[in-house]
Amino acid sequence: MKLLDTLTGGYASLIVYGLAALAVAAVLAWTYHLGSTHTAAVWSLKYDQREVAIQKATNAEISRQAQANAMAKAAEAQRLAALEAENAALEQLIKEKSDEADADPDRDRVCLSGDAGLRIDSIH
């Protein structure tokens, strides 16, 4: 140390302390860098997991809506078929009652006959 002190003109201890401080600062900077890199990786992982979860939830909701729409369309088709069948049966009944009315011997009377009243009531 005396040799270094004579070579540097008395600044040897200052240089040693400066190098020690530089070494400590380098270790601290390296540790900080590792910590921030780790933190960035953790947050990136959390973000990616969140995005995957959101995409899964979105896909599940789209699938649920598609299934609900398909079920509603199937129910609608069944109801339309039932209504068409009921309508056809009603039209057939009206045709039968109309044919009966045409064949009724009392069809030209001023008021309704008993059979005509029964035919009208059967439509309701």
Side-chain angles (χ1 to χ4, degrees):
M1 184 86 167
K2 289 185 180 187
L3 177 65
L4 186 60
D5 203 19
T6 56
L7 289 176
T8 59
Y11 292 109
S13 61
L14 182 62
I15 292 173
V16 170
Y17 288 132
L19 289 175
L22 184 63
V24 168
V27 168
L28 289 176
W30 182 66
T31 305
Y32 178 79
H33 174 70
L34 287 180
S36 67
T37 303
H38 175 71
T39 302
V42 167
W43 281 106
S44 178
L45 179 64
K46 285 182 182 180
Y47 176 78
D48 292 342
Q49 288 174 345
R50 184 176 141 259
E51 288 299 314
V52 168
I54 288 172
Q55 189 62 40
K56 280 177 142 179
T58 301
N59 291 341
E61 180 63 16
I62 289 171
S63 175
R64 186 198 64 80
Q65 288 178 1
Q67 289 174 351
N69 287 340
M71 289 173 55
K73 286 181 182 182
E76 175 189 21
Q78 286 179 336
R79 181 65 180 140
L80 284 176
L83 286 175
E84 287 174 1
E86 290 174 10
N87 190 29
L90 185 59
E91 285 178 4
Q92 180 64 30
L93 180 64
I94 290 171
K95 183 181 180 310
E96 289 173 4
K97 297 303 175 183
S98 176
D99 291 344
E100 286 178 17
D102 289 341
D104 189 5
D106 294 331
R107 71 174 180 229
D108 294 330
R109 286 181 51 188
V110 176
C111 63
L112 294 175
S113 66
D115 288 339
L118 290 175
R119 281 192 302 272
I120 291 172
D121 287 341
S122 69
I123 299 295
H124 295 295

